[in-house]
Amino acid sequence: MIRFKPPVVHLCRLTTLVVSLWPALVFASLQSGLAHYEAGRYESAYLAFRHAAERGDHQAQLNIGVMYLKGQHVERDLVEGYAWMALSAQSAPLSENGTHEQVLSLLSGVQRRAAVARQRTLEKSFGDEALLQKMQPAFAEREPPNPHYAPVYTYPSQYPRSAALRGE
């Protein structure tokens, strides 16, 4: 007999899978970006870094900032470079490094205000808190009514007898 599994069960399993694989996928993008960067393929490096940076990899965010500072594949832009480097400073080791503060000290007053505003915009999309919120599953308050749904048979929940005998 086929038992119906509510969509919430599948959503929870999918969320668990995505969350468990997330670091590996981001790490692969960062490593790919580093390989492309070392080979001088800046367009491919930028795309790989951007992919990882948008998923919260602080090292990739720093690398994007450096590419903006140097004008590698992108137009040289100190404001955008600072914004990405400041975003990466959410990581304690990169914050202690202080590179983003050094870049900020090179900017004029107008550029500083623009850089801080841009960093806040990036943080709303790719900051640690924003990404944590995006990764949380969203559940509907109740399932939409389906007039064609009628369970064939509902089984009462039971604790596995073998586990109960073992005292678990």
Side-chain angles (χ1 to χ4, degrees):
M1 186 172 286
I2 298 174
R3 287 197 291 175
F4 173 76
K5 288 187 180 181
V8 173
V9 171
H10 297 296
L11 181 61
C12 289
R13 288 181 181 164
L14 179 62
T15 301
T16 302
L17 178 67
V18 168
V19 168
S20 65
L21 292 178
W22 195 270
L25 295 173
V26 172
F27 182 74
S29 292
L30 176 64
Q31 294 304 319
S32 171
L34 290 171
H36 288 300
Y37 189 87
E38 290 296 322
R41 296 186 300 269
Y42 298 126
E43 179 180 2
S44 299
Y46 178 84
L47 294 173
F49 288 148
R50 184 72 188 229
H51 183 264
E54 289 177 356
R55 284 151 185 79
D57 187 297
H58 299 290
Q59 187 63 49
Q61 292 167 348
L62 178 67
N63 292 342
I64 293 256
V66 169
M67 290 184 81
Y68 273 104
L69 292 179
K70 292 183 173 184
Q72 295 170 321
H73 174 65
V74 291
E75 188 174 324
R76 187 169 190 263
D77 187 344
L78 297 178
V79 170
E80 191 73 12
Y82 166 80
W84 280 102
M85 293 174 101
L87 184 64
S88 76
Q90 293 178 81
S91 164
L94 295 177
S95 177
E96 293 168 4
N97 168 320
T99 306
H100 66 290
E101 293 169 355
Q102 293 173 1
V103 172
L104 188 63
S105 70
L106 299 174
L107 302 178
S108 69
V110 173
Q111 287 177 315
R112 283 183 190 190
R113 286 189 290 281
V116 170
R118 177 64 179 143
Q119 186 261 330
R120 287 186 185 136
T121 301
L122 288 175
E123 200 168 289
K124 287 178 185 175
S125 298
F126 311 122
D128 292 346
E129 285 296 318
L131 293 175
L132 186 61
Q133 289 298 318
K134 287 180 185 177
M135 292 177 66
Q136 297 298 319
F139 298 105
E141 289 184 27
R142 64 180 186 90
E143 292 186 35
N146 184 347
H148 304 292
Y149 168 70
V152 177
Y153 182 76
T154 307
Y155 294 95
S157 58
Q158 290 183 333
Y159 194 72
R161 182 169 167 73
S162 59
L165 292 174
R166 288 191 306 265
E168 295 178 353

XYZ file of all heavy atoms in Angstrom, residues 3-17 137-139 143:
156
model
N 1.873 4.952 0.867
C 1.550 5.975 1.867
C 1.914 7.342 1.312
O 2.941 7.495 0.657
C 2.309 5.726 3.162
C 1.748 4.559 3.922
C 2.195 4.573 5.337
N 3.626 4.286 5.428
C 4.302 4.320 6.560
N 3.710 4.624 7.676
N 5.578 4.046 6.584
N 1.100 8.298 1.610
C 1.323 9.662 1.164
C 2.310 10.344 2.108
O 2.156 10.307 3.316
C -0.005 10.419 1.150
C 0.136 11.888 0.864
C 0.385 12.314 -0.425
C 0.035 12.819 1.869
C 0.535 13.660 -0.696
C 0.184 14.160 1.603
C 0.425 14.580 0.315
N 3.354 10.950 1.539
C 4.285 11.744 2.333
C 4.012 13.205 2.025
O 4.042 13.604 0.866
C 5.736 11.399 1.999
C 6.159 10.058 2.502
C 7.635 9.880 2.279
C 8.054 8.510 2.790
N 9.465 8.278 2.616
N 3.737 13.975 3.046
C 3.451 15.385 2.782
C 4.651 16.105 2.177
O 5.791 15.710 2.405
C 3.114 15.953 4.159
C 3.494 14.914 5.141
C 3.703 13.624 4.425
N 4.407 17.151 1.391
C 5.500 17.893 0.756
C 6.508 18.445 1.758
O 7.659 18.639 1.429
C 4.798 19.030 0.017
C 3.348 18.715 0.012
C 3.095 17.689 1.048
N 6.094 18.685 2.979
C 7.002 19.229 3.987
C 8.155 18.263 4.241
O 9.296 18.669 4.412
C 6.235 19.538 5.296
C 7.182 19.929 6.407
C 5.208 20.623 5.059
N 7.871 16.950 4.217
C 8.919 15.953 4.433
C 9.964 16.052 3.332
O 11.172 16.066 3.599
C 8.318 14.527 4.495
C 9.410 13.480 4.509
C 7.408 14.391 5.699
N 9.509 16.153 2.102
C 10.440 16.278 0.979
C 11.223 17.587 1.049
O 12.410 17.621 0.759
C 9.695 16.168 -0.355
C 9.032 14.842 -0.556
N 9.740 13.673 -0.658
C 7.719 14.512 -0.643
C 8.895 12.671 -0.813
N 7.659 13.157 -0.805
N 10.550 18.662 1.439
C 11.219 19.954 1.562
C 12.301 19.903 2.630
O 13.390 20.411 2.433
C 10.196 21.048 1.883
C 10.753 22.466 2.023
C 11.405 22.908 0.720
C 9.665 23.428 2.423
N 12.003 19.259 3.748
C 13.003 19.146 4.826
C 14.204 18.334 4.359
O 15.342 18.688 4.647
C 12.385 18.510 6.069
S 11.235 19.602 6.904
N 13.956 17.254 3.642
C 15.061 16.440 3.131
C 15.901 17.221 2.128
O 17.126 17.160 2.145
C 14.526 15.160 2.497
C 14.013 14.177 3.509
C 13.516 12.921 2.853
N 12.997 12.010 3.866
C 12.237 10.975 3.597
N 11.901 10.713 2.344
N 11.808 10.205 4.563
N 15.237 17.938 1.244
C 15.940 18.736 0.246
C 16.762 19.833 0.925
O 17.914 20.063 0.561
C 14.949 19.349 -0.739
C 15.543 20.236 -1.829
C 16.482 19.424 -2.709
C 14.454 20.859 -2.659
N 16.189 20.492 1.912
C 16.908 21.540 2.638
C 18.139 20.968 3.319
O 19.221 21.559 3.272
C 15.978 22.203 3.679
O 14.862 22.759 2.990
C 16.700 23.292 4.448
N 17.994 19.809 3.943
C 19.122 19.162 4.607
C 20.219 18.836 3.603
O 21.402 19.066 3.864
C 18.663 17.877 5.319
O 17.642 18.221 6.253
C 19.809 17.197 6.029
N 19.848 18.334 2.441
C 20.823 18.002 1.411
C 21.557 19.249 0.923
O 22.784 19.261 0.823
C 20.129 17.307 0.235
C 21.015 16.948 -0.956
C 22.018 15.873 -0.546
C 20.181 16.486 -2.123
N 14.076 27.256 5.565
C 12.906 26.807 4.807
C 11.692 27.668 5.145
O 11.553 28.147 6.267
C 12.703 25.363 5.274
C 13.394 25.272 6.582
C 14.499 26.279 6.561
N 10.858 27.879 4.166
C 9.630 28.639 4.366
C 8.459 27.666 4.286
O 8.277 26.979 3.294
C 9.500 29.715 3.293
N 7.701 27.605 5.346
C 6.554 26.706 5.393
C 5.271 27.519 5.309
O 5.158 28.586 5.909
C 6.549 25.898 6.697
C 7.748 25.020 6.856
C 8.767 25.351 7.728
C 7.877 23.861 6.111
C 9.883 24.544 7.871
C 8.983 23.055 6.243
C 9.984 23.389 7.119
N -1.630 23.768 4.391
C -1.572 23.307 3.011
C -2.801 23.797 2.259
O -3.894 23.859 2.827
C -1.502 21.784 2.967
C -0.194 21.248 3.500
C -0.100 19.739 3.304
O -0.606 19.230 2.295
O 0.493 19.103 4.175
